[in-house]
Structure formats: C-alpha cells, structure tokens
Amino acid sequence: MTKFHSDLLVIGSGLSGLGAALHAAERGLTVALVTKNSVSVSCSIEAQGGIASVIDIQTDSFSKHISDTINAGVGLNKPEIVEYFVRRGPEAIKEMELRGIRFTKNSKGGFDLGKEGGHSERRVVHAGDITGQQIISVVAQEALKHPLISIYENHTAVDLITTNKFKIGSDNRVVGCYVLTPDESVELFAANTVLLATGGCGKVYLYTSNPRVTSGDGVAIGMRAGLSAINMEMIQFHPTILHHEKATSVLISEALRGEGGILKTVDGNPVMEGVHPLKDLAPRDIVARAIDAHLKQSGDDFIYLDMTHLGADFLYKRFPNITNICKSVGIDIANDPIPVVPAAHYMCGGLKATPEGVTDIPGLFVAGEIAHTGLHGANRLASNSLLEAAVMAREVVHHIDTYLHSHDFPEKCNIPLWNDEGITDSPENIVIKQNWEEIRHLMWNYVGIVRSNSRLKRAMKRIAVIKEEITEYYWNFKITNDLIELRNLTIVAETIIRSAQKRKESRGLHHNIDFPERQAKAEDTSVSIEELLP
Ligand code: SIN
C-alpha cells in the first residue's frame, strides 16, 4: 500500500500542469502534483512574448489566425485542430483575467496587442515582457493554497504503472507512477488518472532558451508506457537568444522584432533583407536558418538585434525585464545592439493526443508542449504555445472527470511497490556527466538547424553507444535524478534522430540538405518505443 493516492496525478508544473491541477480541484477531484524542481522553474514562466488570440475583431479574425498558424506550420498542421485552439483563445484570456492575471492595457483600456513573427495582425496579449511569470505566479499561488491539491517539489517521475505491464488488471490502463523523492527513495504514487505535463526537451541541445529541467522526461515516460511520438524532428530554434558569456539560455523575445527590431550582421548589414517578404518577422524556422547560414559562412559567433532606433523611453517601458537583463551584462538596449544567436526553444512534435489531451492509453492524459495534437505542424507560430497550454489545461479536465465517473478502480490495492533489491550506489558519476554532455553536443552538431543523412547516421551511431552504457547503469545502480534525466534524454534524442531519418523532405523546422524539396503531401512521422534501440 502507499500513502500517496489521488484521483489525478499531475507530472509537471508549467501552465498546463498547474492549470489542470486547479481546474480538477475546482471540480472536487483530489490532485497530487509532482515536479522535479519547484513550481517557480518551468518554460511557461520564461515565456516573455504572450498569448496569441484574436481580440481586435475590427482588423483580425479567427480565419487570419488559423491561416497564419498553418502558414508557419507549412501545412503539416491539422486545420480542424488549429481552428479548435484558435476559437478558444478569447475565452482562455477571459478566464485568466477572472483569475486575476493582469495583462498590459492600452490608453483606451483595451489589450495592448503585440506582434511576433508569422502573425499578419497584432494579436499577442501580454503582461509587459514577463507574461509567463505573471500567469504562473497567480496560477501557482491558487494551486498551492487549494486544499485538494498536494504539491510535491523536487520529486522526479520515474515510470508510469500500467495494468498490463504489472499484470494487475484485465484491461490496460494507467494506475500511477513511481516517483523519486528528495530522500532518494522511490515511492508509489497511485492515481486513477495521470496527466503528463512535463513540457519540452530543450536540454537535449547544447544551446537552448529552456531552463535546466527540460530533459523531455514526459515524452520518454509516455513512450515507455506505449504511446507513439509524432513529428519529433520538428524542434524549433528561437532566432534570438542572448549571446553573452555571463548570461546563458536568456531569451530575447520576438516581440522586440514585432516592435521594429532589426537583425544585423556584425558589419551592420540587415540579415533578413531579400530572404523573405516579412523580413525580420518571417516565421522562426526561416529566420533561424538565415542566421545559421550567415554564421557558418562568415565564421562570426553571433549577429546583432538592433533596437537603438526605437528610443529609450519606448524600449524601457515596453521591455523592462529585457532592459534589466541586458543591463546586468553591460548592454543598454537603447544604445547598444544586442548580440544574439539561435538556440533550441520548443518541441513542436510530442506524444500523440487529441486536443483535449486524450491518449491511446486509458487513464493517461497529456497537455501543453508534450502533446502532439496537430496544432503546430512543422513550425509553431509565436505565442501559440501558452494558448495551447491554457486551453488544454481546461479541456483535459472535462475528459479526466468523465473517465473517472465511468470507471471503477479495483486494482489500486494490487500495485507493487518499487523493488530495488540488489541495487548498489553508482561507482562513477562521471559517466553520467560525460554522456549528458556528449548527447547535447552531438545533437547540436549533427541534428541541429540544418541536417544531412550522414550527420543523422553519425548521431545514431553515437547514441547507440551511449544508450548501452546508460541502460546498464539504470538496471544495476541506484537511480538518481541525474540518471533518470539522462535515460530520458537519450530516448528523446534517439527519437528525434529516428523521426528526422523518416522524413524524406525538408519542411519547416526540419531541413535536410539531402532532401531539400518539400513533398506534395504533408505527412506526420511517428516513432514508438519498439523502434528504438534496446
Ligand atoms: C518570445 O517571446 O519570443 C517567445 C514566445 C514564444 O516562443 O512563443
């Protein structure tokens, strides 16, 4: 038996995880939420730009937002799914305002709408340049004080428990998860439903805008439970991450280009001139690729984002957070161009799910970046991610509730506790550090912004060696947080490579010099755990 039992176990504490926990508790469900760091560390918190939603119906429309999303996604999106999310945008914003989230308003009291790459209209609702922080601080505070929600920080999910795997029921379903606690024991968290909301996998790459926690855990956990991963080759590289030795992984929001920022080479030439009609506001895949090509050809280490023509008054007021971050490393954005480089930012693929987060395994749900619903296609439109997280957090809970009311849970007393008999402490933790760094380097060099068949083949060869070492470690030694992350990172890296090898074309974020053309029909790639190395 276990002391941890809930109607819903949420794994992850970004907007989709915390939001769903809150919705579920407001419906009277008991919720356990585990997060491997704290509720103040997530990609949602880092989101600067805002939430894309049709607000100004004088100039904007659902059909424009839908077509911008599909253009950015290069037709790999599912149009009906795009419509599903776009139409729910205004309601999601309203709900956030009702919770007390304060978005920036204009002088007439309406939303001050921002613009970002690929958007044909101003439709990005924001809270200064710290939208994610504002949202999460409100949602987390409510979740932390809700009596039906128990939050377990510094707890790392190890593996899901399915009835089939443990032979404890006639029909396959998820009944809980093994979780590593801060005292390094593994506890059984029994739950009638589980929501994976662990975000993306930026840490699979050497350079990323993501916080340290994004090792793709949920994707690996879901795949091991039997879900397929779709379009995992579609990794979005954000064009503008601050390039400074004292500040790593710092996002410089696309909203700066939305207000007139210009990308320039170190010699002062505009990077996007003649590349795309939208120039600096072209979709991210196009901008990131143009920068990458320039850096490779020139040998420069970075380019500049020049805001100096926009004036100190406007810049300091509109972007106070970015002003301060840059100031802390000696850059005054009103007078100095900002050195930037592209870096891994967002996972456009993910675990196969409906837009309501329903997966192929009963009792298992997903929400947010981890989910592949068909919204983003081959390249996510800027600020559609918080929209997706907010909408899914609410919609998934309807389905969780329905599931709970239509099932009995007789197997909960039979779930085995974690067994680590015969397991010893790891003799050499350097193996973990070495492999972690090697994966991130090889993914950056071989499976980055521009790929080729031979680079993908080399990457797969290296992953095979690393995987063998990690698997041996996992089964023979006591598990640690680092080992769990590395095991997951390896699976995700391999899945990205396999997906990239399956796509015999270049489309959106996936650019393979051996298949430079786009195929006539847009098709998803899919990888299951059975296709991966043992
Ligand atoms: C940004 O502010 O540039 C990031 C927003 C996003 O990824 O949608």
Side-chain angles (χ1 to χ4, degrees), residues 68-278:
D68 290 349
T69 302
I70 295 174
N71 283 341
V74 201
L76 191 61
N77 329 57
K78 308 267 178 293
E80 68 287 3
I81 306 294
V82 176
E83 179 166 359
Y84 175 97
F85 282 101
V86 163
R87 284 191 176 276
R88 283 164 176 75
E91 208 180 322
I93 302 287
K94 202 151 131 202
E95 183 197 309
M96 289 193 188
E97 282 215 296
L98 287 174
R99 284 207 189 279
I101 294 156
R102 298 279 161 257
F103 295 110
T104 304
K105 296 289 173 67
N106 58 29
S107 55
K108 295 187 192 130
F111 291 108
D112 175 56
L113 299 173
K115 199 167 181 203
E116 291 178 63
H119 287 276
S120 57
E121 297 294 342
R122 285 192 170 263
R123 65 167 75 95
V124 181
V125 178
H126 64 96
D129 56 353
I130 49 166
T131 310
Q133 245 180 65
Q134 294 288 351
I135 294 172
I136 295 296
S137 66
V138 171
V139 177
Q141 242 175 52
E142 281 198 39
L144 281 162
K145 64 178 192 237
H146 201 292
L148 291 179
I149 303 178
S150 306
I151 295 187
Y152 300 89
E153 295 186 316
N154 303 305
H155 281 62
T156 306
V158 181
D159 261 321
L160 292 170
I161 304 159
T162 53
T163 51
N164 267 10
K165 194 161 165 193
F166 290 88
K167 302 191 175 43
I168 48 174
S170 48
D171 55 336
N172 191 33
R173 63 168 82 170
V174 165
V175 289
C177 186
Y178 294 117
V179 175
L180 181 73
T181 68
D183 69 9
E184 297 192 340
S185 63
V186 178
E187 295 284 352
L188 160 62
F189 276 63
N192 295 340
T193 55
V194 176
L195 174 70
L196 290 174
T198 53
C201 65
K203 281 289 162 186
V204 93
Y205 286 94
L206 187 57
Y207 302 111
T208 174
S209 63
N210 293 178
R212 201 218 153 278
V213 291
T214 53
S215 43
D217 302 314
V219 173
I221 289 172
M223 287 181 79
R224 286 196 294 267
L227 296 183
S228 297
I230 311 296
N231 293 342
M232 283 292 290
E233 72 281 19
M234 297 300 178
I235 300 292
Q236 185 173 73
F237 291 80
H238 194 290
T240 57
I241 305 304
L242 182 62
H243 177 81
H244 198 281
E245 56 187 6
K246 292 199 193 119
T248 53
S249 298
V250 175
L251 179 69
I252 302 294
S253 177
E254 199 161 279
L256 275 79
R257 277 176 283 135
E259 299 301 345
I262 302 171
L263 297 167
K264 292 184 176 169
T265 65
V266 289
D267 305 326
N269 297 315
V271 174
M272 292 306 293
E273 198 62 53
V275 175
H276 190 277
L278 291 173

Side-chain angles (χ1 to χ4, degrees), residues 11-12 36 157-160 195-202 204 213-235 346-352 359 361 364-372 484-485 487-497 499 526-530 532:
I11 303 173
K36 68 180 179 181
V158 181
D159 261 321
L160 292 170
L195 174 70
L196 290 174
T198 53
C201 65
V204 93
V213 291
T214 53
S215 43
D217 302 314
V219 173
I221 289 172
M223 287 181 79
R224 286 196 294 267
L227 296 183
S228 297
I230 311 296
N231 293 342
M232 283 292 290
E233 72 281 19
M234 297 300 178
I235 300 292
Y346 191 88
M347 181 175 84
C348 294
L351 296 174
K352 183 175 164 225
T359 73
I361 301 179
L364 179 58
F365 300 83
V366 294
E369 187 170 349
I370 189 177
H372 177 274
I484 294 169
E485 283 187 333
R487 179 183 181 227
N488 293 336
L489 202 73
T490 313
I491 287 182
V492 172
E494 187 186 348
T495 305
I496 294 171
I497 303 165
S499 307
S526 172
V527 173
S528 69
I529 197 82
E530 287 79 26
L532 301 187

Side-chain angles (χ1 to χ4, degrees), residues 48-49 116 238 251-255 284 345 380 382-385:
Q48 295 173 347
E116 291 178 63
H238 194 290
L251 179 69
I252 302 294
S253 177
E254 199 161 279
R284 274 184 199 165
H345 182 60
R380 174 177 63 86
S383 289
N384 267 355
S385 45

